[in-house]
Amino acid sequence: MGNRGSPLLHESSKYLRKHVEDSNKVFPAPWRGKFLRYKSLEEKLHGSGKGTKDGAFLVSVFEEVVNVNEVFKATAAEILKEHRSYQSPNWLQTISRVVKGKKGQDYDEGCLKAGACLEFAHINAVALRRVLNQHDQTHGSDLGRKFYDSLWQNQTGRAAFLHSPELLELSAIAQPAQGEKSDESKEAISLPHHNNDPCTDVVKLDHRCSVCLEVLFKPVALGCGHVFCTSCLKTAAGRKCDVRTFDQVARCVDPRVRCPECRQDGVFRRAAELTALGDTIRATYPRHWENRGKEEAAREVELKGELLRKLRGG
């Protein structure tokens, strides 16, 4: 495993250990005391000597991963639920918030919570990589790297804090739209993301779909973390003429179908519509979103018409 992508990885183990311990103390309540026990894992690794079986140590690491992942998924789910509630078209709820003066406050708190959850994921991802690196150096093996790679390849959400649609949604909430930009001045956003290299910690992801090369419209993330327009992903999966919702389509996609970008298979199982990222893109590029919406609506009418004619035998 390389040391690219994060300044934390270039620091000493002592620095990282202190960083994790400090974060355990100063982070907000949902995450405080819930970080990967880096110091304990280091002591197990170095206090046991080279005679220790790899399996015993990796079992301890896996237990830590499970605990961290449960905290991340629970807090991420709560933040996303709050955000969707805030974005809800329920007019009574919106008026109530405005009257009470809480609308802006709720939004700011949501951004801060999303940012804290992302940082929680980032610190734990770095600590995990570091301790597995140390394991391989101590034992002269590559089992730590293989263990980490297996977490990346797993599409069941076992390591959602490393790569998942939730990370992309949290990033969109933590970095709200800054107003419309021209096509030439789109700014990339930075977020944890899988880029065919399990060593990569943070990569640049702009608002373009890598299939149509246009601004994302109704973005969807696959289990590997790559993002596409809903219609582009349907086409890539051989479901171009399917007028059902993406969730319904994803359940029917052959598990052998690969991600158009990284070529991993089985990635449709944890595919998710990115509503928060969609809100950000719609606010940032309103004209594009409106035009693309009209094009998609016209295309859907045409597809439904063709389907109806086929059913009638015309």
Side-chain angles (χ1 to χ4, degrees), residues 135-150:
H135 168 274
D136 286 357
Q137 291 168 10
T138 300
H139 291 269
S141 74
D142 62 352
L143 288 180
R145 178 183 61 79
K146 289 180 178 178
F147 175 81
Y148 187 79
D149 289 354
S150 71

Side-chain angles (χ1 to χ4, degrees), residues 300-311:
E300 185 172 336
V301 169
E302 183 180 346
L303 288 173
K304 286 181 177 179
E306 289 179 6
L307 180 61
L308 191 59
R309 285 193 292 274
K310 286 181 180 178
L311 291 174

Side-chain angles (χ1 to χ4, degrees), residues 60-129:
S60 297
V61 174
F62 180 72
E63 291 172 351
E64 291 294 309
V65 168
V66 169
N67 292 335
V68 167
N69 200 52
E70 286 179 354
V71 174
F72 170 77
K73 290 180 71 174
T75 52
E78 182 180 345
I79 292 167
L80 294 176
K81 182 179 179 180
E82 289 178 359
H83 177 78
R84 287 161 188 157
S85 172
Y86 174 78
Q87 298 292 338
S88 169
N90 186 325
W91 62 271
L92 186 60
Q93 183 183 62
T94 301
I95 290 175
S96 175
R97 279 177 171 161
V98 171
V99 170
K100 294 179 181 179
K102 292 181 62 181
K103 189 174 181 180
Q105 179 183 342
D106 287 348
Y107 191 78
D108 290 341
E109 286 181 0
C111 291
L112 291 173
K113 286 180 180 178
C117 197
L118 282 171
E119 185 66 11
F120 174 80
H122 173 70
I123 292 172
N124 282 292
V126 172
L128 175 63
R129 271 196 303 283

Side-chain angles (χ1 to χ4, degrees), residues 62 66 70 76 78 89 91 106 112 130 137 149 174-175 183 191 201 204 207 241-242 250 288 291 297 304 314:
F62 180 72
V66 169
E70 286 179 354
E78 182 180 345
W91 62 271
D106 287 348
L112 291 173
R130 169 67 79 172
Q137 291 168 10
D149 289 354
Q175 303 179 42
D183 283 350
L191 66 165
D201 183 56
K204 291 291 183 177
H207 292 160
C241 298
D242 200 322
H288 170 84
N291 293 336
K304 286 181 177 179

Side-chain angles (χ1 to χ4, degrees), residues 52-310:
T52 302
K53 291 183 178 180
D54 290 316
F57 177 75
L58 293 180
V59 166
S60 297
V61 174
F62 180 72
E63 291 172 351
E64 291 294 309
V65 168
V66 169
N67 292 335
V68 167
N69 200 52
E70 286 179 354
V71 174
F72 170 77
K73 290 180 71 174
T75 52
E78 182 180 345
I79 292 167
L80 294 176
K81 182 179 179 180
E82 289 178 359
H83 177 78
R84 287 161 188 157
S85 172
Y86 174 78
Q87 298 292 338
S88 169
N90 186 325
W91 62 271
L92 186 60
Q93 183 183 62
T94 301
I95 290 175
S96 175
R97 279 177 171 161
V98 171
V99 170
K100 294 179 181 179
K102 292 181 62 181
K103 189 174 181 180
Q105 179 183 342
D106 287 348
Y107 191 78
D108 290 341
E109 286 181 0
C111 291
L112 291 173
K113 286 180 180 178
C117 197
L118 282 171
E119 185 66 11
F120 174 80
H122 173 70
I123 292 172
N124 282 292
V126 172
L128 175 63
R129 271 196 303 283
R130 169 67 79 172
V131 79
L132 290 173
N133 268 326
Q134 289 187 44
H135 168 274
D136 286 357
Q137 291 168 10
T138 300
H139 291 269
S141 74
D142 62 352
L143 288 180
R145 178 183 61 79
K146 289 180 178 178
F147 175 81
Y148 187 79
D149 289 354
S150 71
L151 293 176
W152 268 102
Q153 293 161 7
N154 183 278
Q155 299 300 327
T156 64
R158 181 179 294 169
F161 68 99
L162 292 179
H163 71 99
S164 63
E166 290 92 333
L167 285 169
L168 299 169
E169 285 285 75
L170 290 169
S171 296
I173 296 171
Q175 303 179 42
Q178 299 298 318
E180 184 167 14
K181 302 176 179 65
S182 67
D183 283 350
E184 293 76 24
S185 63
K186 294 186 184 72
E187 295 179 0
I189 57 176
S190 178
L191 66 165
H193 187 62
H194 181 32
N195 192 34
N196 252 350
D197 179 3
C199 305
T200 303
D201 183 56
V202 176
V203 301
K204 291 291 183 177
L205 173 71
D206 63 11
H207 292 160
R208 286 184 184 273
C209 169
S210 60
V211 172
C212 67
L213 302 181
E214 294 186 12
V215 178
L216 286 161
F217 181 71
K218 295 185 178 179
V220 178
L222 295 177
C224 55
H226 290 115
V227 186
F228 309 91
C229 303
T230 295
S231 57
C232 291
L233 205 50
K234 282 184 178 181
T235 301
R239 299 275 177 168
K240 180 179 180 179
C241 298
D242 200 322
V243 295
R244 294 176 297 173
T245 65
F246 180 78
D247 283 342
Q248 292 171 327
V249 171
R251 287 196 290 268
C252 301
V253 173
D254 189 317
R256 293 172 294 182
V257 174
R258 299 175 182 273
C259 166
E261 192 161 333
C262 70
R263 310 307 298 166
Q264 275 197 71
D265 57 15
V267 292
F268 278 82
R269 284 179 291 177
R270 292 203 69 244
E273 297 176 81
L274 304 181
T275 55
L277 180 59
D279 291 339
T280 297
I281 293 174
R282 180 170 50 192
T284 307
Y285 315 98
R287 287 194 295 273
H288 170 84
W289 190 276
E290 181 181 0
N291 293 336
R292 184 73 180 270
K294 291 177 181 177
E295 292 173 5
E296 295 278 343
R299 178 174 171 273
E300 185 172 336
V301 169
E302 183 180 346
L303 288 173
K304 286 181 177 179
E306 289 179 6
L307 180 61
L308 191 59
R309 285 193 292 274
K310 286 181 180 178

